[in-house]
Each structure stands twice: as structure tokens, then as C-alpha cells.
Amino acid sequence: EVKLVESGGGLVQAGGSLRLSCVTSGFALGDYAIGWFRQAPGKEREGVACFSRRAGRTEYADSVKGRFTISTDNAKSTMYLQMNNLRPEDTAVYSCAANFDLGSAWCVAPRFDYWGQGAQVTVSS
């Protein structure tokens, strides 16, 4: 059974940092493209960062470039999203996602089959 379990959300002041973790099971993380998405109240889900090992590419939303970093630790079957210099507009529910790596880092939700439960990130001004 495929599972993705997130942790690390919370409340932080603007300018602060958080690291989200997503522990995976039921598949070999190294064979999968991964992504982080977020959804704020009243807004559509947005692709934040996606990575394809097969394509050798990482994509970031323009709004997070230079502040967020996606990474994996395959030995721990865990993916991460390091978020620095957080802004109030980063407030959202963040979800990790994975799909068998077909060689694309295109960061759109319909490409991903497996999802975590979501973690709330709130940035106060």
C-alpha cells in the first residue's frame, strides 16, 4: 500500500523558516517524480516545487524561487520542502505528491497519483 505522511507544518512569523517532511512507503522513492503543492482558502491548488530524477530537472513556482528547496533522502524514503524567508502569502495547506517518474518535472497536480494528507502552514505578519 502506498502511503505519504507529512509532518513539520505550523505557525511561524514572516521571515522565518519551516521544513516539511513527507515519509513515503509502498514504493521506491528513487523511481518516482515528487512534488509539493499548496492550496490557500478560496484559491486553486498550486504547484510549489517538483523534481524528476529521470529528467534531471527541478521546477519551482516563481513565487518561491530562491526561498524554497525540494529534496529527497531515498535511504529514509523521505522527501522534504525547506521553506525560508516565509511570507504571509505562503499560508496554505501543503501536500506532498509522487508519481512514477516518466521523465518530467512538470508541476501540475493531475500528473500525480499519490498524495499526502496535507499540513497547515501559517505565516503571521
Side-chain angles (χ1 to χ4, degrees), residues 1-88:
E1 180 184 8
V2 172
K3 287 186 178 180
L4 289 78
V5 180
E6 301 164 10
S7 61
L11 173 64
V12 64
Q13 288 189 330
S17 297
L18 282 175
R19 187 177 77 161
L20 300 178
S21 300
C22 177
V23 178
T24 69
S25 60
F27 63 98
L29 184 58
D31 292 334
Y32 277 65
I34 61 169
W36 287 93
F37 293 79
R38 67 185 181 186
Q39 189 165 21
K43 294 188 177 181
E44 293 187 355
R45 182 180 288 176
E46 174 189 23
V48 174
C50 293
F51 169 68
S52 165
R53 186 179 308 278
R54 179 167 293 184
R57 288 182 59 85
T58 304
E59 290 194 2
Y60 291 97
D62 288 342
S63 58
V64 307
K65 283 180 181 177
R67 301 188 298 123
F68 289 14
T69 303
I70 187 172
S71 63
T72 63
D73 184 335
N74 292 338
K76 295 182 178 179
S77 299
T78 302
M79 66 175 85
Y80 303 97
L81 183 68
Q82 178 66 43
M83 304 183 291
N84 298 328
N85 192 20
L86 283 160
R87 305 167 180 169

